[in-house]
Amino acid sequence: MNNQSNDESRISEEQISELLNKVGSRPEPPAMLAEQIKAEVKQAWRENVESTKKKQSQRAVRIFFATAASLVVAVLLFLPTDLTPSNFASITKTVNAVHVLRNDQWQNISSLERSGTSGVAQVFGISEPIEIRTQENAFASIHMMNQLNLRVGAQSHIKVHSSSAIDVISGKVYIDSHDDVNNHNSISITTPYGSARDIGTQFAVEVSANSWTIQVREGEVEIQQENTQYRAIAGERILIGQDQTIQRVEITPHDESWHWTENVSDQFTLESATLSDYLTWISKETGLTFEYNSADIETAARATNLHGSVAGITPRESLEIVLSTTNFYVLKQDSGKLIISNR
């Protein structure tokens, strides 16, 4: 590899590392682990390239995350989706201490999971209203029958009434209505101060002691507080006080305030996926946007297949590792937009 390629590789890792430093409260994998993973996959890449020099469009990247999954600091629990006809939702993923209210007692989901099949069905498959509470640095993901995804932030208390109605008593939630799959998804979020209803969107609601905040990544949100109505649009955060004072500020799709949602992101199947598919998923989960330096580079990304798994780490954490095992790198970045090139 020539000196220019070496320089470009360093630029890529520095740029992406800057983004990784803004992940948020979730602990990052140890530095030694990241270096070990990168060393292994780079070796696999070199061996693969030697045997496929004449078939570059069919490049395959082997990524070994077995070690990573066993060493991730946060306690990550993946739960089977139980969206049977009697259930309107399913708790599909939790990180650390998440509790549900059963028989007037708060019980840890992980302990209920070990209680047997009947316990799993009653708790994780939601067929009636249920209260959920998260502890510090704990998160949960709930998938509704209509494909809408609800994510619960740390130190939050919510009540799920149905696939279209929840209460946020305290803390924060994130909604992805997945209107690209189902055009009829909508959810009403009620707080002690008012309510919000989405119009095909990704948005978050946070309730504090004296105010509540609505911020919109995509689409729009209708807000009702007493007899006053507001509307929040994409790229906007609205803070409403108890006295109905309003503060509106601009917010980017990749702002740090969104980072917590990645702890319980929708799982991506890396095996046999193309690099372009992977980057599309990264964009949806992180708010970062990607552009290719040329049409040929975009074509090559669509033909580059990946193998392995990114389970156990967040989308943002996986980005540097996956790119470092391919011929692709970040040429430059500007305000959340990354330009992709190749060597």
Side-chain angles (χ1 to χ4, degrees):
M1 191 177 299
N2 59 33
N3 292 335
Q4 182 181 0
S5 295
N6 288 334
D7 291 341
E8 289 169 340
S9 176
R10 285 195 296 270
I11 291 172
S12 174
E13 294 196 6
E14 289 172 0
Q15 291 174 323
I16 301 175
S17 293
E18 182 180 344
L19 293 173
L20 292 174
N21 288 334
K22 300 179 180 179
V23 167
S25 60
R26 186 180 186 274
E28 295 186 359
M32 290 181 63
L33 171 60
E35 292 303 318
Q36 179 181 351
I37 295 171
K38 289 164 69 174
E40 290 176 355
V41 294
K42 284 181 178 179
Q43 179 61 31
W45 169 249
R46 293 190 189 99
E47 294 173 357
N48 190 47
V49 169
E50 287 298 320
S51 64
T52 58
K53 285 184 177 179
K54 295 183 180 181
K55 298 180 179 181
Q56 291 187 2
S57 63
Q58 300 298 320
R59 287 191 295 269
V61 182
R62 296 191 175 278
I63 302 177
F64 303 97
F65 281 125
T67 303
S70 66
L71 294 177
V72 171
V73 176
V75 179
L76 186 61
L77 175 64
F78 292 91
L79 310 175
T81 303
D82 184 9
L83 291 177
T84 59
S86 62
N87 297 324
F88 64 81
S90 178
I91 302 174
T92 56
K93 188 176 180 181
T94 64
V95 175
N96 297 328
V98 177
H99 296 80
V100 294
L101 188 63
R102 295 182 75 218
N103 302 321
D104 295 324
Q105 292 185 339
W106 287 104
Q107 300 182 41
N108 193 310
I109 283 181
S110 63
S111 65
L112 289 170
E113 191 274 335
R114 291 192 292 270
S115 68
T117 303
S118 60
V120 172
Q122 291 174 27
V123 174
F124 304 139
I126 303 174
S127 60
E128 59 185 10
I130 187 173
E131 288 189 54
I132 301 170
R133 190 172 64 186
T134 59
Q135 301 300 313
E136 184 178 3
N137 203 33
F139 310 89
S141 178
I142 302 170
H143 281 81
M144 307 297 187
M145 181 69 79
N146 61 6
Q147 311 260 351
L148 183 146
N149 179 218
L150 165 67
R151 303 179 194 180
V152 187
Q155 297 180 306
S156 298
H157 181 187
I158 72 167
K159 183 171 184 177
V160 181
H161 292 279
S162 68
S163 60
S164 59
I166 68 169
D167 295 342
V168 179
I169 301 163
S170 63
K172 54 191 174 185
V173 296
Y174 172 79
I175 304 294
D176 186 346
S177 64
H178 283 292
D179 269 14
D180 52 339
V181 178
N182 184 339
N183 291 324
H184 304 290
N185 292 343
S186 183
I187 190 167
S188 176
I189 297 180
T190 301
T191 77
Y193 307 115
S195 62
R197 177 175 290 278
D198 72 296
I199 307 174
T201 186
Q202 292 178 324
F203 74 109
V205 172
E206 182 171 3
V207 175
S208 63
N210 301 306
S211 63
W212 64 308
T213 303
I214 305 94
Q215 60 186 56
V216 186
R217 213 176 204 174
E218 294 181 1
E220 298 181 357
V221 173
E222 293 179 341
I223 303 164
Q224 178 81 35
Q225 181 159 323
E226 296 184 354
N227 297 322
T228 306
Q229 291 184 336
Y230 313 96
R231 177 166 292 199
I233 62 175
E236 187 173 43
R237 175 194 287 146
I238 297 180
L239 186 148
I240 307 175
Q242 279 183 315
D243 57 359
Q244 294 197 37
T245 57
I246 299 176
Q247 297 179 32
R248 292 178 183 261
V249 297
E250 293 184 357
I251 183 172
T252 65
H254 58 278
D255 185 79
E256 189 173 351
S257 60
W258 301 107
H259 287 188
W260 71 266
T261 67
E262 297 175 38
N263 290 282
V264 280
S265 62
D266 283 344
Q267 191 57 45
F268 180 78
T269 302
L270 193 69
E271 184 64 36
S272 299
T274 65
L275 179 61
S276 61
D277 288 339
Y278 166 75
L279 293 178
T280 297
W281 172 69
I282 290 288
S283 180
K284 182 175 179 61
E285 291 293 339
T286 65
L288 299 170
T289 58
F290 296 89
E291 292 185 5
Y292 298 98
N293 202 32
S294 70
D296 288 344
I297 292 172
E298 181 176 3
T299 299
R302 293 181 184 277
T304 298
N305 295 313
L306 307 172
H307 298 277
S309 172
V310 289
I313 55 178
T314 69
R316 201 174 299 261
E317 290 169 346
S318 73
L319 180 58
E320 180 179 12
I321 296 173
V322 172
L323 283 183
S324 71
T325 64
T326 71
N327 270 353
F328 296 83
Y329 64 95
V330 177
L331 180 63
K332 63 179 179 179
Q333 61 168 308
D334 180 27
S335 300
K337 181 171 70 175
L338 281 65
I339 307 298
I340 302 297
S341 188
N342 64 3
R343 300 177 179 88

